[in-house]
């Protein structure tokens, strides 16, 4: 359900033009609906990511929440079940803090061999300033019992077809952490609809898949929650597996903390710089529970030698990102490979190669940017790769697939026949209607048009 623009002011209950109402600038659209937007590399130039540059990740359509009738329920293993209004929450002590929000799937598009899912590059991440109430205070108010093990969150978004409702849980230890909050403000503004208005979970240091938006229910459980989005999604083998292999879900563990990571925002890959002239190599770096980032090193010779980059001291927070810079003058006309490697307070650093995993989570490989140092910049910048061919779609694709979402989520995949077969099963399980006699043709169409192929970079 799309929220008509004119409803925003009504929802906000105020006349301010919220981040919501401003157009999202030059975002990379990974899915038109449900809306999935990626921040372009230029976004790393900001310390606090403006709302119109903040990535958006929605599994289903953003719900329309009327704040007057909205309530937060706290139930389960508690002495006093609660039903709270937004005003009730705002009367409780507020905390504000800077934290990165990063989707577990950020960088999925970089894995080889490719894996199914939104093909995020580097920008399913943003650095926000979040304000709200401590989850620990809310749980205390409800009288959370000794038996509490896992805290389950549910939001107002409604599943599509027969897909399971998006519900996520975090262990009680993370829930009681003083930094875990229920946020109602982002960057000093009312939490925008796309980011979970009126209330979302903010579990800093952890992948934002745990940061449930449009929160309506908190359930204190005496055992680990075993719903689809915990047991069949967001799981990682936690150790190297053969690229391309299938790993049973029970052999994997939930994605929790983010891993130390850096991004090179400038210069851009494949561009030219002037030989003999200073170039500022710039980027950001962040970590998770093991933050803050303590150092970033840069190599301009493909990893043979490394030198420290300069970090902003005032940005040394546990959960926010840190901007870094490195002054470099390419001494001669040559092709240079620039690498960056961050280290966090626990001494973790970034791997040189991706640890492949079936769903493409937690990418934190050392970033690599190639530039040509030349005497004179040539007028033409490198040509963009040609657009993917838009082959004629069979009827079954139109009637069964381009229904809940557009064909964009399909066109970005590069999957094997076996992976496409599993995708069809997943989607028919969620309600896609594919007749038996059409199935083989659909599989052929998907595989022949969106099968493995070299990446357009
Ligand atoms: N209710 C609900 N909460 C949700 C989601 C969702 O689809 N529904 N997406 C999750 C995922 S996977 C991510 S990465 C973050 C994205 O937050 P953002 O859109 O504010 O950037 O929200 C999380 N919270
Ligand atoms: Mo995510």
């Amino acid at each position: 359900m799309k929220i008509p623009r004119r409803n925003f002011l009504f929802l906000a209950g105020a006349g301010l033009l919220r981040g919501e109402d401003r157009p999202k600038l030059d975002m990379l659209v990974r899915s038109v609906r449900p809306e999935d937007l990626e921040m372009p590399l230029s976004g790393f130039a900001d310390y606090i990511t403006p709302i119109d540059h903040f990535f958006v990740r929605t599994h289903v359509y953003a719900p329309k929440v009327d704040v007057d009738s909205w309530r937060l329920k706290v139930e389960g293993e508690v002495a006093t079940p609660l039903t709270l209004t937004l005003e009730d929450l705002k009367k409780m002590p507020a905390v504000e803090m800077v934290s990165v929000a990063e989707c577990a799937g950020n960088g999925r598009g970089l894995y080889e061999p490719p894996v199914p899912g939104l093909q995020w590059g580097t920008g399913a991440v943003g650095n926000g300033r979040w304000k709200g109430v401590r989850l620990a205070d809310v749980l205390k108010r409800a009288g959370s019992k000794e038996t509490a093990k896992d805290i389950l969150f549910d939001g107002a978004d409604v599943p599509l077809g027969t897909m399971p409702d998006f519900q996520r849980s975090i262990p009680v230890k993370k829930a009681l952490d003083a930094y875990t909050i229920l946020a109602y403000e982002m960057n000093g503004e009312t939490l925008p609809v796309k980011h979970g208005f009126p209330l979302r979970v903010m579990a800093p240091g952890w992948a934002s898949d745990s940061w449930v938006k449009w929160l309506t229910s908190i359930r204190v459980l005496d055992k680990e929650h075993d719903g689809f989005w915990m047991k069949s999604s967001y799981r990682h083998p936690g150790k190297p597996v053969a690229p391309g292999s299938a790993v049973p879900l029970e052999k994997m563990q939930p994605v929790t903390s983010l891993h130390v990571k850096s991004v090179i925002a400038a210069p851009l890959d494949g561009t030219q710089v002037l030989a003999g002239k200073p170039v500022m190599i710039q980027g950001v770096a962040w970590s998770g529970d093991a933050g803050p980032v303590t150092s970033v090193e840069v190599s301009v010779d493909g990893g043979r030698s490394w030198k420290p980059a300069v970090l902003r001291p005032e940005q040394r927070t546990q959960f926010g990102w840190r901007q870094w810079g490195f002054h470099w003058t390419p001494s001669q006309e040559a092709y240079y490979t620039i690498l960056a490697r961050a280290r966090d307070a626990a001494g973790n650093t970034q791997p040189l190669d991706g640890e492949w995993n079936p769903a493409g989570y937690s990418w934190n490989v050392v970033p690599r940017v190639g530039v040509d140092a030349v005497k004179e910049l040539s007028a033409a910048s490198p040509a963009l790769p040609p657009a993917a061919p838009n082959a004629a779609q069979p009827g079954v694709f139109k009637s069964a697939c381009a229904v809940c979402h557009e064909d964009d989520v399909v066109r970005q995949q590069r999957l094997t026949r076996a992976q496409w077969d599993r995708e069809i099963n997943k989607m028919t399980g969620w309600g896609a209607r594919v007749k038996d006699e059409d199935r083989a043709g659909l599989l052929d169409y998907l595989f022949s048009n969106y099968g493995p192929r070299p990446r357009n970079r």
Side-chain angles (χ1 to χ4, degrees):
M1 173 178 26
K2 264 231 143 177
I3 301 173
R5 201 149 275 266
R6 64 190 142 76
N7 278 352
F8 285 136
L9 296 181
F10 160 73
L11 288 171
L16 277 175
L17 189 67
R18 295 197 286 145
E20 195 70 31
D21 236 12
R22 295 195 293 264
K24 292 253 170 190
L25 300 167
D26 61 345
M27 297 292 277
L28 307 165
V29 180
R30 296 290 171 200
S31 170
V32 177
R33 61 173 188 115
E35 198 171 40
D36 293 294
L37 307 176
E38 175 172 342
M39 183 185 76
L41 273 175
S42 60
F44 291 107
D46 290 307
Y47 176 56
I48 297 295
T49 312
I51 286 165
D52 50 19
H53 250 172
F54 214 96
F55 85 101
V56 174
R57 173 72 177 108
T58 47
H59 292 79
V60 299
Y61 312 141
K64 171 185 171 178
V65 174
D66 165 25
V67 72
D68 293 330
S69 53
W70 176 89
R71 295 291 181 276
L72 174 67
K73 283 202 179 324
V74 188
E75 338 168 86
E77 300 291 304
V78 295
T80 329
L82 304 174
T83 302
L84 302 170
T85 64
L86 196 57
E87 284 312 306
D88 294 334
L89 290 160
K90 286 187 174 170
K91 279 185 203 135
M92 296 172 66
V95 282
E96 188 166 32
M97 131 188 57
V98 172
S99 173
V100 162
E102 184 184 19
C103 178
N106 192 24
R108 176 181 292 126
L110 306 171
Y111 277 101
E112 292 290 349
V115 297
L118 294 169
Q119 299 297 300
W120 301 110
T122 47
V125 62
N127 197 36
R129 192 186 302 280
W130 312 91
K131 182 175 171 182
V133 32
R134 287 200 169 91
L135 176 56
D137 289 347
V138 172
L139 292 174
K140 198 167 156 198
R141 184 162 165 182
S144 181
K145 295 183 186 163
E146 289 282 290
T147 47
K149 273 218 173 65
D150 209 23
I151 311 296
L152 178 64
F153 305 109
D154 193 10
D157 46 343
V158 181
L160 295 170
T162 51
M163 82 189 277
D165 193 9
F166 186 82
Q167 297 180 331
R168 295 272 300 160
S169 69
I170 60 175
V172 72
K173 184 164 180 284
K174 183 69 178 175
L176 294 179
D177 191 294
Y179 295 113
T180 300
I181 68 174
L182 305 178
Y184 46 72
E185 271 185 28
M186 177 182 184
N187 299 356
E189 296 187 40
T190 301
L191 190 66
V193 171
K194 290 173 206 242
H195 300 289
F197 175 82
L199 193 71
R200 82 174 305 169
V201 177
M202 211 277 286
W206 282 29
S208 50
D209 317 273
S210 296
W211 301 27
V212 172
K213 304 194 273 193
W214 311 293
L215 188 66
T216 51
S217 154
I218 299 177
R219 184 167 281 276
V220 180
L221 304 177
D222 59 6
K223 57 177 194 307
E224 228 180 272
H225 174 63
D226 63 0
F228 175 88
W229 297 102
M230 296 306 293
K231 292 291 155 175
S232 308
S233 203
Y234 301 118
R235 294 178 82 84
H236 190 287
K239 58 168 201 268
V241 298
S245 60
V247 184
L249 290 164
E250 66 278 6
K251 289 259 160 64
M252 297 197 275
Q253 42 197 273
V255 171
T256 56
S257 176
L258 299 175
H259 299 289
V260 65
K261 181 163 175 178
S262 61
V263 170
I264 301 172
L268 294 175
D269 190 34
T271 54
Q272 296 180 331
V273 294
L274 284 172
K277 290 274 177 330
V279 177
M280 185 63 156
I281 304 174
Q282 281 173 292
V284 308
W286 66 91
S287 186
D289 284 342
V293 164
T294 50
S295 72
V296 174
E297 293 172 304
V298 171
S299 171
V300 293
D301 55 12
R304 275 185 292 279
S305 66
W306 297 84
K307 287 199 188 110
V310 176
L311 293 167
R312 305 273 290 265
E314 76 279 12
Q315 294 178 354
R316 195 182 196 276
T317 67
Q318 184 172 1
F319 300 116
W321 69 33
R322 293 184 82 175
Q323 295 174 298
W324 55 264
F326 184 89
H327 292 278
W328 172 55
T329 303
S331 55
Q332 55 186 346
E333 285 176 79
Y335 183 82
Y336 291 87
T337 300
I338 305 170
L339 273 52
R341 183 168 70 184
R343 184 177 296 273
D344 66 22
N348 302 306
T349 186
Q350 302 180 248
L352 279 168
D353 287 308
E355 203 180 84
W356 188 92
N357 64 96
Y361 293 132
S362 308
W363 173 273
N364 74 329
V365 174
V366 160
R368 190 179 278 267
V369 157
V371 294
D372 241 326
V374 293
K375 259 217 186 74
E376 243 174 274
L377 301 180
S378 52
S381 45
L384 289 173
N390 200 354
Q393 298 171 348
V396 52
F397 182 82
K398 285 185 204 134
S399 64
C401 301
V403 180
C404 300
H405 45 70
E406 305 297 325
D407 65 359
D408 51 2
V409 298
V410 169
R411 286 168 49 203
Q412 65 194 273
Q413 313 295 327
R414 302 182 302 145
L415 306 178
T416 62
R417 193 175 271 280
Q419 284 172 314
W420 271 123
D421 198 46
R422 287 197 288 271
E423 276 301 311
I424 297 178
N425 288 342
K426 178 174 171 184
M427 295 302 147
T428 51
W430 285 2
R433 281 193 292 266
V434 180
K435 291 200 211 93
D436 283 350
E437 63 264 36
D438 291 337
R439 202 179 188 291
L442 178 64
L443 182 57
D444 280 341
Y445 166 75
L446 292 169
F447 174 64
S448 55
N449 286 284
Y450 310 112
R453 63 178 186 280
R455 206 173 287 284
N456 286 337
R457 282 205 68 200

